[in-house]
Amino acid sequence: MYQVVKAIFYTISLFPYRVLYAIADFFYLIIYYVVGYRKRVVRKNLSKAFPEKGEEERKDIERKFYRWLCDYFVETLKLLSVSDETFMKHVRFEGMEVVEQCFAEGQHCAGILGHYGNWEYLSASDIGLKNWGFRAVDGGSKATSLPAVCGLIYHPLRNKIFDRLFLDIRQAMRGICVPKKDILRYLVNYNREGRMTLFGYIADQAPKWENIHLWLDFLNQETPVFTGAERIISKMNNAVFYINVERPKRGQYVFTYKLMTREPSKMEHGELTRRYFELLEENIRRNPVIYLWTHDRWKRTREEFDRRFIEKNGHVIPVEG
């Protein structure tokens, strides 16, 4: 079944971008006007995030969002077969020279981003690197010809077929995908091998109740946030970059690596996560159309959390009785 599904999507990916966008336009009509995919959730999220905007303005954002969402799917499928040359006509990576400087000085890097723009394209970050070989991590006493490792940390999908398909898509551009539960082990192993690493952390998911350790104001809502990325980055003391995303026009993305800090281990708990959400909100407010509004991000409230759970010795546990 997987081979059949992949063969279908691979065949679709062979179409040129202009044909893929025509397909996206057709599916937009179906998904938005016929199926109404998660329209209730999208409207609720936009209403909470932008109470200052009128209903017609929010509906305009809604319609443009669904158009972009269909673009996102065909753009992602295209990764199965696109060449580096064609891909780079649609994507630009900026700020990579700072990443290379960190590598040259023996410091691993982490990029922190949200479900904003086509985040799948970050699996091709190594294309933005001008140099493949860097000094080993032992203070520069020996050189290595091993390439830097670029990749994304992901949460496996429940559907095994689509989980495998998305792995193939993300790794088609040479990026390494690592399940979030395994990333620390991978980072330690790459460090021992003397290979420099740049991994992307998508850190704006809604955490489960037992994983809530921090609440922040995000898009006018008190929002529970993950702190796992911050803990791993601080433990490894990676140079941290916020990945700013712009979409100048349809089919064009600009990913800018903006250095946040080279000493995350010296930051107060929650400070890195707080700054990340501030930067992500700035991105969203500049162009809310390309944020993933279909996730019910505010389904867990502080009031319910305080009623049902307590934090004890760093663990979130249910209230007895």
Side-chain angles (χ1 to χ4, degrees):
M1 178 61 70
Y2 169 73
Q3 295 300 333
V4 172
V5 171
K6 184 179 178 180
I8 293 171
F9 285 130
Y10 182 82
T11 301
I12 295 172
S13 77
L14 295 173
F15 290 125
Y17 275 97
R18 66 179 182 278
V19 176
L20 290 175
Y21 285 130
I23 294 172
D25 288 340
F26 171 75
F27 277 103
Y28 159 71
L29 298 175
I30 302 299
I31 290 173
Y32 184 69
Y33 289 104
V34 180
V35 178
Y37 173 68
R38 294 200 174 188
K39 194 179 287 187
R40 181 187 61 81
V41 173
V42 172
R43 287 182 176 173
K44 181 179 71 171
N45 285 340
L46 289 174
S47 178
K48 287 183 174 183
F50 304 109
E52 74 283 0
K53 296 184 184 295
E55 184 176 350
E56 283 305 313
E57 189 175 2
R58 289 198 296 267
K59 281 191 176 180
D60 183 59
I61 295 172
E62 176 186 298
R63 287 189 290 268
K64 290 177 179 176
F65 159 71
Y66 277 96
R67 282 189 177 276
W68 166 77
L69 185 64
C70 293
D71 285 357
Y72 158 81
F73 282 117
V74 298
E75 289 167 353
T76 300
L77 286 181
K78 186 65 177 174
L79 292 176
L80 280 171
S81 62
V82 70
S83 66
D84 287 3
E85 182 181 5
T86 300
F87 178 75
M88 290 306 292
K89 292 178 181 178
H90 296 266
V91 179
R92 189 166 77 248
F93 294 101
E94 297 186 349
M96 300 300 286
E97 67 279 359
V98 185
V99 175
E100 291 188 349
Q101 179 184 346
C102 294
F103 283 174
E105 295 173 6
Q107 186 174 25
H108 297 274
C109 297
I112 190 165
L113 63 150
H115 287 91
Y116 187 81
N118 196 325
W119 56 90
E120 308 293 354
Y121 280 9
L122 267 295
S123 62
S125 290
D126 64 352
I127 297 177
L129 294 172
K130 301 297 186 295
N131 300 307
W132 279 78
F134 294 92
R135 306 294 293 183
V137 193
D138 63 350
S141 62
K142 64 179 181 179
T144 176
S145 60
L146 292 173
V149 179
C150 297
L152 285 173
I153 299 160
Y154 78 101
H155 181 70
L157 301 175
R158 288 194 182 97
N159 186 297
K160 299 301 182 184
I161 292 177
F162 280 94
D163 181 61
R164 189 174 169 188
L165 177 67
F166 268 84
L167 276 178
D168 282 351
I169 289 171
R170 289 163 176 164
Q171 297 185 144
M173 300 299 289
R174 298 184 300 276
I176 304 297
C177 290
V178 179
K180 62 181 183 180
K181 65 181 179 65
D182 297 327
I183 184 58
L184 192 58
R185 175 169 57 85
Y186 272 71
L187 292 176
V188 170
N189 287 339
Y190 285 132
N191 183 57
R192 287 172 178 166
E193 293 174 3
R195 298 183 69 172
M196 306 310 298
T197 57
L198 169 61
F199 273 93
Y201 296 75
I202 300 178
D204 61 338
Q205 301 100 324
K208 295 180 180 179
W209 290 112
E210 62 271 19
N211 292 325
I212 297 175
H213 298 280
L214 182 65
W215 295 78
L216 297 176
D217 181 55
F218 177 58
L219 292 170
N220 297 311
Q221 305 300 310
E222 192 171 25
T223 306
V225 297
F226 272 116
T227 56
E230 175 182 314
R231 292 197 299 272
I232 294 170
I233 290 169
S234 297
K235 184 178 182 64
M236 301 302 296
N237 204 33
N238 296 158
V240 192
F241 295 80
Y242 174 72
I243 302 176
N244 184 80
V245 184
E246 302 292 341
R247 190 187 188 225
K249 62 180 182 179
R250 189 180 200 182
Q252 299 288 328
Y253 292 94
V254 180
F255 296 94
T256 303
Y257 282 75
K258 295 187 173 183
L259 182 64
M260 297 176 70
T261 179
R262 292 191 63 173
E263 298 181 312
S265 61
K266 294 183 178 180
M267 299 178 74
E268 295 292 329
H269 170 70
E271 184 181 351
L272 182 63
T273 302
R274 183 175 291 105
R275 181 57 181 150
Y276 154 69
F277 273 95
E278 289 172 353
L279 292 169
L280 178 59
E281 181 165 338
E282 290 176 12
N283 243 182
I284 294 169
R285 291 196 177 278
R286 284 197 300 272
N287 182 8
V289 169
I290 59 174
Y291 188 56
L292 191 62
W293 296 106
T294 48
H295 284 189
D296 195 355
R297 302 191 182 283
W298 295 297
K299 60 186 175 183
R300 297 184 177 91
T301 66
R302 182 64 176 267
E303 180 183 6
E304 184 178 358
F305 178 83
D306 289 343
R307 186 176 69 252
R308 295 177 52 195
F309 300 90
I310 59 171
E311 188 167 355
K312 187 175 182 180
N313 299 324
H315 298 282
V316 174
I317 57 175
V319 175
E320 294 182 3

